[in-house]
Amino acid sequence: MIIAIIGYRATGKSTVAALLAQRLGWSFADTDTEVQTQVGKSIHQIFQEDGEQAFRDLESQAVQHLARRHKMVLALGGGAVLREGNRRALSLSGPIV
């Protein structure tokens, strides 16, 4: 099971997710961080150089990968739940709050 934290950008999702994970004794991940690590670019650079569609595709790959884990609190980018495939992967893993 994972707990996914969603919301608008810069509202504290990562902070809340990390604190909740610590309290539960679970692991924590942030899809934005995963994407940046994977491609070696900032989110801003990805948007500028490759466009939003490329970022959303990378984000979806991260969601699909991370949603298979157990006992994890996951901070999602604000637009992650706009894709049905992401919602489906998350719904199989636990509650989305």
Side-chain angles (χ1 to χ4, degrees):
M1 175 169 122
I2 67 168
I3 297 173
I5 308 293
I6 63 172
Y8 194 67
R9 65 185 160 130
T11 56
K13 297 179 301 289
S14 297
T15 300
V16 169
L19 290 169
L20 179 58
Q22 183 179 22
R23 177 166 266 186
L24 294 172
W26 290 12
S27 59
F28 157 73
D30 181 305
T31 56
D32 285 351
T33 301
E34 293 289 322
V35 168
Q36 291 176 101
T37 300
Q38 178 185 349
V39 298
K41 296 180 185 179
S42 70
I43 301 299
H44 180 73
Q45 286 176 303
I46 297 168
F47 267 79
Q48 275 194 323
E49 297 171 10
D50 307 313
E52 182 177 359
Q53 184 66 38
F55 170 74
R56 296 296 172 198
D57 291 344
L58 292 165
E59 179 181 58
S60 289
Q61 290 173 15
V63 169
Q64 299 294 322
H65 173 72
L66 293 168
R68 292 184 230 149
R69 301 218 180 141
H70 298 286
K71 292 188 176 183
M72 171 179 277
V73 181
L74 179 60
L76 298 170
V81 294
L82 298 177
R83 285 195 172 181
E84 184 178 339
N86 292 343
R87 291 191 308 270
R88 188 175 25 245
L90 292 165
S91 71
L92 297 174
S93 302
I96 302 172
V97 275

